[in-house]
Amino acid sequence: TEEQLEKLEMLELEERVVCLGGAGTGKTVFAVEIARRLAADHDRVVLTCQNPVLASFLRSRLEDEKGVEVIPFAELDGLRRPAEVLIIDEAQDVLDSDGLATVDRAVEGGLQGGRWRIFLDPNAQAAFSKRYDPGVLAQLQQHGVTALLSVNCRNTSDVVMNIQLMTGADPGVATLGPGPGVDTDVYRSVTEAATLAEENLRALLNQGVTPSDISLLSPLSFEKSTFAHFPADLTDRIVILDPRTAKDWPLDELSFATIEDFKGFENRFLLISDLDDVTSGPQAVATFYVGMSRAR
């Protein structure tokens, strides 16, 4: 989009940039692209994020780029030497005083004089993180310029409208137009949930949807989720997204992931279950938002 081209120029030219945007506005795509461009200028770039599954995927996308190292945020303190440019994706997951101190050590010149690009969603996704401190974001913004992304390039207008109605969050202005819609089923037991989920999944497959285009999401691990109760002909086809399998994303078969591990990923069709109470508080609403906003 024109907005993205404008912000990409800012990300290239400015020394320190805080890039804010909702889910689907292209933050992870930007993080990868700016890593490529800066490494092409012979900068020694470190790209990091809190989610080790996402880090594995990003590493696979940048493995041919000399000068780019991709590591989970928890390993930043193990760098042999500070990065010339530090790029952080999904930074709301690590944005507290401890995280800020880690960033200060991980880049040449520190927070005030170093070169960094930090991408985050300070709205609904921030409530999903237990480490997000808006005061720390304000500190960051004092040291660099702020870029705002408002155009949603991932979700159809149906998904965006349902996210707004169900969570109150603003996922940006949808540009993809209408899609097949969002269906909601209410269940009263795990058995009923599994039956409904199976019906929905088989309906998609019978319509000719490719299994690799379908992801199953839950806030729970697979063994504790609705989908573990599928019959064997379905469970045998499910590949769990983890740091090992993320290198091969998109997978050739049905995929399962926890909502937390699926941050930074997307797929055409999602079946989301085990959201037993989506109105109990900010954490529940944020979980719902993060899951729904992964759908193309």
Side-chain angles (χ1 to χ4, degrees), residues 112-123:
Q112 293 191 39
R115 300 168 62 201
W116 43 258
R117 315 290 190 274
I118 297 180
F119 298 84
L120 71 147
D121 180 353
N123 300 307

Side-chain angles (χ1 to χ4, degrees), residues 6-7 9 32-33 62 68 79 86 148 281-282 284:
E6 176 188 329
K7 297 304 187 293
E9 183 177 6
V32 171
E33 178 63 20
L62 289 163
V68 181
L79 285 173
L86 181 65
L148 298 174

Side-chain angles (χ1 to χ4, degrees), residues 57 89 111-112 127 168 184 190 204 263 267:
F57 168 71
D89 191 25
L111 280 170
Q112 293 191 39
T184 303
V190 172
L204 287 173
K263 287 180 66 181
N267 212 343

